[in-house]
Amino acid sequence: MEISLTTPALLFPAISLLLLAYTNRFLALANLIRSLHARYMTEKDLKIKAQISNLKKRVILIRNMQLLGISSLFFCVVSMFTIYQEYQMAGSIIFGFSLVLLMISLLLSIVEIQISVKALNIQMGDIEK
């Protein structure tokens, strides 16, 4: 399959918005961790410690999501450069690799969202009792 220089460029807006969403999730979690940490230092509640542990896993997932998204964008640019240099086959392969990285990033996003929902369900379970 032959791709043009504009084909990888189509991913730029999508990856940029995705990275922005990942960054927003990271910042929200960082603020939550800081506030929970401050509460734990005064209360020493084990539930807070468990929440912080859960949030730590989510932060690691988001870091990996960001890393894969940035790598996808990088290889997208590399594929554009190789296509510009008229190395169509190499450009196509690199673009395919970029897509794979983006898919893995999205899969990690699904895992992170599921962990988030599970934590919210546990939190709401306290209210229902």
Side-chain angles (χ1 to χ4, degrees):
M1 178 181 131
E2 193 168 312
I3 61 175
S4 70
L5 190 60
T6 58
T7 305
L10 293 173
L11 281 185
F12 275 61
I15 294 174
S16 297
L17 288 174
L18 196 60
L19 290 174
L20 181 62
Y22 291 169
T23 300
N24 287 339
R25 290 186 72 80
F26 179 83
L27 291 174
L29 286 181
N31 288 332
L32 183 56
I33 289 171
R34 285 185 186 101
S35 68
L36 285 174
H37 181 268
R39 265 183 57 200
Y40 179 76
M41 296 310 282
T42 60
E43 297 176 25
K44 302 292 185 196
D45 186 0
L46 291 179
K47 283 185 179 181
I48 295 173
K49 189 174 181 180
Q51 286 179 328
I52 291 173
S53 175
N54 177 289
L55 293 171
K56 184 178 177 182
K57 291 175 191 172
R58 290 176 55 199
V59 166
I60 291 169
L61 277 172
I62 292 173
R63 179 201 61 199
N64 292 337
M65 290 159 37
Q66 288 175 321
L67 178 66
L68 289 165
I70 291 167
S71 298
S72 175
L73 184 61
F74 175 78
F75 283 107
C76 201
V77 172
V78 170
S79 75
M80 289 175 67
F81 182 74
T82 56
I83 292 167
Y84 174 75
Q85 293 295 318
E86 297 183 3
Y87 298 112
Q88 287 293 324
M89 180 59 84
S92 294
I93 292 169
I94 294 169
F95 180 63
F97 182 66
S98 171
L99 291 175
V100 170
L101 291 174
L102 186 57
M103 285 188 288
I104 296 169
S105 174
L106 292 170
L107 286 173
L108 288 180
S109 179
I110 291 170
V111 170
E112 193 274 331
I113 289 170
Q114 290 191 334
I115 291 172
S116 174
V117 169
K118 187 187 294 184
L120 288 174
N121 285 336
I122 290 170
Q123 190 75 29
M124 289 186 297
D126 287 351
I127 295 171
E128 292 174 353
K129 290 180 183 177

